[in-house]
Amino acid sequence: MLKALIFDVDGTLAETEEVHRAAFNAAFADAGLEWQWDRELYGYLLRVTGGKERIAHYIDTVLRKPRNADTNDMIALLHRRKTAIYADMIAAGQIELRPGIMALIDAALSTGVRLAIATTTSRPNVDALLAATLSGRGAPFEVIVAGDEVPAKKPAPDVYLEALKLLGLDARSCLALEDSANGVRSSCAAGIPVLVTKGMYTVSDNFDGAITVLDDLGSLAERAAPSEVGSAILDSVRAHHETANARSIHQFTF
Ligand SMILES: [Mg+2]
């Protein structure tokens, strides 16, 4: 039985990557650097999870410059500035939740399905997004595990394993929602069935291991009346979850 939904943040709750990219570029300009990340380059850099790691990857593989202790200090400063700029952009309302997300959250809360977040983004980014998009709903996510709070980021399973521990639930009673190959690998490594909604930067990712791949959650409720959208999405999500668990038990038994 489905007891909890565990959400990725960037690309899953909202298409935040374009805001992240703009915030990185603004932080570089503030620092007097002539670095400019266009969409194509950012798509490449997104293979690496975590903002500081992404800047380091850019220096290593695009600029091809050696890094030392000073470089790593600069990366930390740039990332701090980028995080502040990102929070300002989000607070200014430059983002909205993806289709069906709010309806699913409301339906889950009203039927006792618990909600959690397992993300590689840093905690201030999560807080900024939730404050801007969930005002008036209190704190629907009872567990939030962010990238800097565990030893290894996705595709390692750490964030998901920590979320399971804090929820006190086993992997099979939860469902992960992801938008990227790294996210699918992470949740699968933690043993959690995963449903994918493809993101702007992840349409051509390899989602092997996911129980289903959708354009967005709204596609699960196309024929539902407006007031029934949340329950239609939740019913469909539950059905996918049950099918996935039945399949894995079948494979295990025979
Ligand atoms: Mg994501």
Side-chain angles (χ1 to χ4, degrees):
M1 195 177 90
L2 180 65
K3 292 185 177 160
L5 298 171
I6 309 178
F7 290 83
D8 168 53
V9 172
D10 293 319
T12 300
L13 283 185
E15 283 284 14
T16 48
E17 295 300 359
E18 281 299 274
V19 187
H20 281 294
R21 185 171 72 84
F24 275 114
N25 284 330
F28 300 152
D30 277 3
L33 295 165
E34 290 182 4
W35 301 354
Q36 185 72 30
W37 290 1
D38 62 20
R39 273 193 192 184
E40 188 184 355
L41 174 57
Y42 195 62
Y44 161 74
L45 295 172
L46 275 176
R47 292 177 204 172
V48 174
T49 58
K52 289 187 285 287
E53 293 82 352
R54 202 164 290 157
I55 298 171
H57 190 60
Y58 173 69
I59 294 170
D60 294 346
T61 67
V62 180
L63 301 180
R64 293 170 183 267
K65 288 196 172 157
R67 280 191 284 133
N68 54 32
D70 285 346
T71 326
N72 292 335
D73 287 348
M74 180 188 74
I75 290 173
L77 280 171
L78 282 171
H79 186 251
R80 211 172 306 149
R81 179 75 189 119
K82 177 261 166 182
T83 300
I85 294 169
Y86 176 83
D88 288 346
M89 287 175 162
I90 294 291
Q94 295 191 14
I95 199 77
E96 57 184 33
L97 297 176
R98 287 190 64 183
I101 291 286
M102 190 71 91
L104 176 58
I105 287 172
D106 286 342
L109 288 174
S110 67
T111 55
V113 174
R114 299 161 70 192
L115 298 173
I117 280 176
T119 176
T120 49
T121 198
S122 50
R123 188 61 177 254
N125 291 343
V126 182
D127 292 343
L129 180 72
L130 297 185
T133 56
L134 293 174
S135 59
R137 275 179 173 74
F141 296 98
E142 66 176 278
V143 164
I144 298 177
V145 184
D148 290 341
E149 298 164 1
V150 291
K153 295 179 179 173
K154 297 175 188 176
D158 300 34
V159 275
Y160 277 107
L161 294 174
E162 183 67 13
L164 289 176
K165 196 167 96 185
L166 294 172
L167 286 164
L169 293 174
D170 66 277
R172 286 276 149 197
S173 65
C174 299
L175 179 74
L177 291 100
E178 280 284 355
D179 73 305
S180 72
N182 274 334
V184 169
R185 287 167 61 195
S186 172
S187 51
C188 285
I192 304 171
V194 54
L195 179 150
V196 168
T197 51
K198 289 184 277 188
M200 182 191 295
Y201 279 102
T202 61
V203 280
S204 47
D205 272 18
N206 177 349
F207 297 119
D208 284 357
I211 59 176
T212 191
V213 180
L214 308 167
D215 289 333
D216 61 54
L217 291 177
S219 65
L220 297 175
E222 274 164 355
R223 286 191 294 270
S227 63
E228 305 293 324
V229 167
S231 53
I233 294 172
L234 183 57
D235 286 349
S236 181
V237 161
R238 275 190 214 274
H240 280 298
H241 181 254
E242 266 166 40
T243 306
N245 276 344
R247 200 163 50 217
S248 70
I249 289 164
H250 179 83
Q251 285 167 351
F252 185 74
T253 308
F254 296 96

